[in-house]
Structures are given as structure tokens and as C-alpha cells.
Amino acid sequence: MTLQYALLNDTSWQSQAQWQTPDTPFMSFAFWQILTDTGAIGEQAGWLPIFILVHRVADYADSANSVTDSAADTALQPVAVMPVFIKGHHRGEFVFDHSWAEAYARYGIDYYPRLVTSVPYTPITGQRLWLAAGEHLNDDILKTAIAGVDDVAQQVGASSWHGLFVTPELASIATTSMPTEIDIELAIAAQESGVESTPIEMPILERQGCQFLWQNKNLSQDSQPFADFDGFLATLRAKKRKTIRAERRKVAEQGISCQRKCGNDITDEDWQAFYHCYVMTYAIRGQKPYLTLDFFMALADSLPEHIMLAQAMDADGEIIASSLFLYDKADSDKADVDNNATLYGRYWGALGEYDSLHFELCYYQGLEFAIEQGLKSFDPGTQGEHKLVRGFIPTTTHSLHRIYDPRFVPAIGDFCARDREHMAQYRQQAFDALPFNADNMPDFDINH
């Protein structure tokens, strides 16, 4: 049997197979439907989706004995789907290639459109292909999907493809199964000749970044999960414990109290208050928010079991700040899901400036919730060394890049190589600054 691909502009493929449960809520069909229904993705948003369906094609001998009316169903078996967006901008991606666009512009070459595979507006590492039941990501599936990407790129004249916040597994497969180098002179000659019958495979380039991930395990107690927030604090050096406790006191001394609500306990009034706070985060930077109130209301309706909202109230009981989290719902029938259940910090906003409130609502409330729920980890989002000193461990992120103009491949490839070295040094420096006691200091892994 061989693999082939088809390019689809709708989600009709969802009914053609039984699909595996995705590794995060952000790859659930419900989440993507919300993005579509509320206009967060689509032509108007500048996120035009194409779905690359990888299917298994049976040999003639395998399907020759099939009933004629069902032969097509027998011969074409969905295996995986990878989303690709056609984009004319970089908004909502969190892995920046503006300098590449500027380099193209200096040579009078248009960098747009470009292709992106990611969860829009979501810098969370996770799978980027939906897999049919019983399938496992491998070289053949990825190569077939990339062939589909190349087809889209040729049709729309895209400069490049970018796979953002991919799993280490996908990054490893891509960088070992795809070419890492090309004959530049041959590639340029083929491009200039316009001979499409002799395609030149471009390499897959890898960039690495750093995010900070909290782990719910006490290394001095055989990596058991923490019993409570004080148990976590006990793993930190005395100075850091004192700082965190002082920050939490400052919030209380301002007459601010906090509470957490989950799922259906979050009212329409809560969502209105949250969105007011969320909009303020963008307003202070002179920007419009990516997502609408309708998006969050739809999220509440479709994925209530994955939502936690932390709220801060002033002395009069008025909501002055909100922080929205999503989290994996543990499935007792699937140990792999249980073992990787994660809290994801996503959206925050406040109506004013309050001392230490951001730390309380975005980190400490999340930590308490993760401990209470027995979640394995807490991913608070991108950037911020201030997360490091609060016990969030530097972790490698991966992105993949395919440049279709061979004249730019050497320079961009060199940039990616130097960037990986720089980020490895940065992660080492960040690791050395972790606030843990000696018996709770995790081992540094340059590849993690």
C-alpha cells in the first residue's frame, strides 16, 4: 500500500474516519470549529485554511475482490490530516521571521503569501496532524503531508512553510527523514529553467526556542506530585519562598481577593467581565484583540470541561482582573493522557495596575489549581524570565521551516543553526538560575 494526499478546503474529512483524541484541547475539532464560526480563521482573518488529507491507497490486488460500489471506500483509507494556512502576515504566531521577510524585500522579492501550520493564536507545543485510530506518525506520513504542502506552495506562489510549536517527535522525524542540504547551484538552475518536472526538494530547517514549564513533582520525595502549594514552596530556596509569600500578601493588602471557577459555573456576567479585562491587555498597546467575545462564549459552550477562570475582586466585590486557563481533562481509560495532563495559561487582562496581581492570577492561582487537580505540568505561555524564578523550568520548543527559493536557503539555514546554538546557551543560563533547593534541582538536558 502507498500513501497519497488530497487538498481540501473544508472539514468533510472529519466524518471519513475515527480519529485519535488529540494531545491538547487546542487540536480538538470543537476548538477549530469555534475558530471558524467566530471568524478567528478564514479569509477575512488572513488565516485561510487548507487541509492536507493523507490517505492509504491499496494495491489493485488488495481491492480487486471488493464490491464495485464500495471499492473506492476500500481503496482510500484516511490516515492523517495536516492543516496549512495561507497567510499574508505574521500575526498570532509567536515564532518570528520578520527579518526573513525584510531580506526578501531588500532583493525586491515578495515573501508573501507564506504557509503556516500551527494552532492560531496559541503558542502551545503539540501535535500538528490529526491521526486516524491505530496510526502512528512516521516518515512516510510526514513526507506525504509535506508533498501536499509543496503542492499548495506551488499553486499559490508561497515563499515558505512554517510548522510552529511542533512536538519533539515531529521535529525529529522531519529533520532526519527530509533532506538537510541541497545542491544550491543545481536548485537555482532548475528554478530558473522553470522545469517543473524536475522538482528539487528543499531542506527542512529547524529553529528552537525556550518556554518555561512547571512540573508537578517533588524530586526529594521520589517525584511524587505536590500535596499543596506550601509543599511546592518547600522545594525552593528560602529567599524565593519569602519573595513569593510577600507577593501574595501584597495582593491581599490591596483589598483584593481571588477565586477560581470552572466550566458551567462561569456565568455570562463572568465572561463579559473577563472580556473587558482581556481587551484592556491589547488597548494599552494600541492594538485590537485577536479574539472576540463570541469566541469565548462559544468556548464555554463547547469545551466547558477544559476551562478554568481565575478572577480578582476589589474590596467592593467588583472584578478587576481575569485570567483564563485551559486544561487537559484526565481520562481514566487512557494512562498516556493522565500522565501528561497539563494546565495551559492563555488569556489575561486587568482594569488597572495592581502590585503583584499578574503573578497571583496568572501563576500562583494556576499552580494551586494544577496541584489540586493532579495535573502533571503547567504551561503558562511564551517568554518571561519572571516565570523562571517562580519554579518554571526552561524547556525547548521546536519549529520547522521550508524555504522554496534556493538563493535564500544557505543564509536562513545558517541563521537557524546559529539561533539553535544561542538558544541552547540561553536555556543553560536559565537553568542555572532556577530557584530550587539542591535536592529538588532537575537534571539539565540540552535537548529538552
Side-chain angles (χ1 to χ4, degrees):
M1 296 185 181
T2 59
L3 297 180
Q4 295 182 358
Y5 67 85
L7 305 180
L8 306 174
N9 57 12
D10 60 31
T11 57
S12 57
W13 52 270
Q14 292 181 4
S15 63
Q16 297 177 16
Q18 180 180 354
W19 300 93
Q20 297 177 27
T21 301
D23 60 347
T24 73
F26 306 102
M27 283 294 285
S28 67
F29 292 162
F31 187 84
W32 282 65
Q33 191 63 52
I34 295 167
L35 289 170
T36 301
D37 292 345
T38 60
I41 61 175
E43 187 171 4
Q44 293 299 316
W47 289 80
L48 184 61
I50 300 292
F51 298 98
I52 300 173
L53 170 62
V54 177
H55 50 248
R56 186 172 287 108
V57 182
D59 296 332
Y60 178 78
D62 294 326
S63 57
N65 296 325
S66 302
V67 177
T68 302
D69 291 342
S70 62
D73 292 334
T74 302
L76 300 179
Q77 177 185 355
V79 171
V81 171
M82 186 168 77
V84 174
F85 293 97
I86 303 171
K87 296 195 64 186
H89 58 74
H90 307 256
R91 294 189 296 275
E93 296 181 17
F94 305 95
V95 177
F96 305 111
D97 58 330
H98 301 90
S99 61
W100 303 357
E102 293 168 358
Y104 272 63
R106 285 195 296 271
Y107 284 89
I109 302 173
D110 198 349
Y111 192 61
Y112 309 98
R114 49 198 281 282
L115 305 180
V116 175
T117 293
S118 72
V119 178
Y121 318 110
T122 308
I124 299 295
T125 291
Q127 66 186 61
R128 292 296 174 260
L129 289 86
W130 290 284
L131 294 172
E135 300 291 345
H136 299 280
L137 185 62
N138 57 38
D139 293 1
D140 291 338
I141 291 174
L142 184 58
K143 286 180 178 179
T144 306
I146 293 298
V149 171
D150 295 345
D151 191 348
V152 175
Q154 187 175 48
Q155 291 186 39
V156 304
S159 68
S160 52
W161 169 77
H162 310 268
L164 309 182
F165 295 98
V166 303
T167 61
E169 176 192 20
L170 195 157
S172 177
I173 292 173
T175 54
T176 57
S177 65
M178 304 296 290
T180 57
E181 296 181 357
I182 60 172
D183 186 321
I184 297 298
E185 293 183 359
L186 178 61
I188 293 174
Q191 182 189 59
E192 292 177 345
S193 69
V195 180
E196 296 181 1
S197 60
T198 311
I200 301 295
E201 284 195 335
M202 295 297 139
I204 296 281
L205 306 174
E206 181 187 7
R207 292 181 67 183
Q208 294 182 354
C210 180
Q211 289 185 339
F212 301 98
L213 187 72
W214 180 81
Q215 297 180 346
N216 185 10
K217 58 182 181 181
N218 190 333
L219 298 183
S220 62
Q221 296 183 5
D222 297 324
S223 297
Q224 291 297 308
F226 297 109
D228 51 33
F229 190 80
D230 284 339
F232 159 64
L233 286 184
T235 67
L236 306 181
R237 295 193 294 271
K239 183 178 180 180
K240 299 303 180 183
R241 291 198 301 271
K242 182 178 180 180
T243 298
I244 291 174
R245 287 177 174 139
E247 287 173 344
R248 304 199 80 176
R249 281 197 304 271
K250 289 176 183 177
V251 172
E253 289 167 356
Q254 294 170 86
I256 298 173
S257 59
C258 298
Q259 66 178 9
R260 298 188 293 270
K261 291 185 176 182
C262 292
N264 293 324
D265 290 335
I266 305 172
T267 67
D268 288 350
E269 291 76 15
D270 291 327
W271 285 114
Q272 294 281 352
F274 160 77
Y275 195 71
H276 188 193
C277 296
Y278 168 74
V279 168
M280 287 296 293
T281 301
Y282 291 86
I284 60 177
R285 300 196 298 267
Q287 299 176 358
K288 292 183 178 180
Y290 292 132
L291 304 171
T292 64
L293 177 59
D294 287 343
F295 170 87
F296 292 106
M297 297 295 282
L299 194 67
D301 288 339
S302 298
L303 295 170
E305 70 276 16
H306 293 286
I307 296 173
M308 188 271 280
L309 180 66
Q311 300 171 312
M313 286 79 64
D314 63 16
D316 296 323
E318 297 294 326
I319 296 173
I320 58 172
S322 296
S323 186
L324 181 63
F325 303 78
L326 274 73
Y327 63 100
D328 296 321
K329 188 67 175 178
D331 185 341
S332 58
D333 295 328
K334 295 183 178 180
D336 58 331
V337 176
D338 288 345
N339 290 340
N340 292 286
T342 299
L343 176 69
Y344 308 96
R346 293 306 308 118
Y347 313 103
W348 135 272
L351 303 184
E353 294 288 338
Y354 302 93
D355 192 357
S356 301
L357 184 56
H358 177 263
F359 302 139
E360 175 64 37
L361 213 57
C362 293
Y363 304 137
Y364 305 145
Q365 290 293 320
L367 289 171
E368 287 187 339
F369 181 79
I371 292 170
E372 290 174 1
Q373 297 294 315
L375 304 179
K376 178 183 177 182
S377 55
F378 175 14
D379 183 341
T382 58
Q383 303 175 344
E385 285 84 358
H386 55 275
K387 299 167 185 170
L388 176 71
V389 297
R390 290 166 177 84
F392 292 82
I393 299 170
T395 305
T396 304
T397 61
H398 305 266
S399 62
L400 303 173
H401 307 271
R402 192 165 173 87
I403 307 299
Y404 291 107
D405 190 326
R407 295 170 296 181
F408 290 89
V409 171
I412 293 178
D414 180 64
F415 172 91
C416 291
R418 288 186 286 107
D419 192 45
R420 289 195 301 273
E421 292 179 3
H422 167 75
M423 293 309 303
Q425 294 171 0
Y426 174 78
R427 289 194 301 274
Q428 176 69 74
Q429 293 170 353
F431 184 87
D432 292 340
L434 283 170
F436 296 108
N437 294 321
D439 57 353
N440 269 282
M441 192 71 172
D443 294 329
F444 177 72
D445 181 354
I446 195 171
N447 296 314
H448 181 66

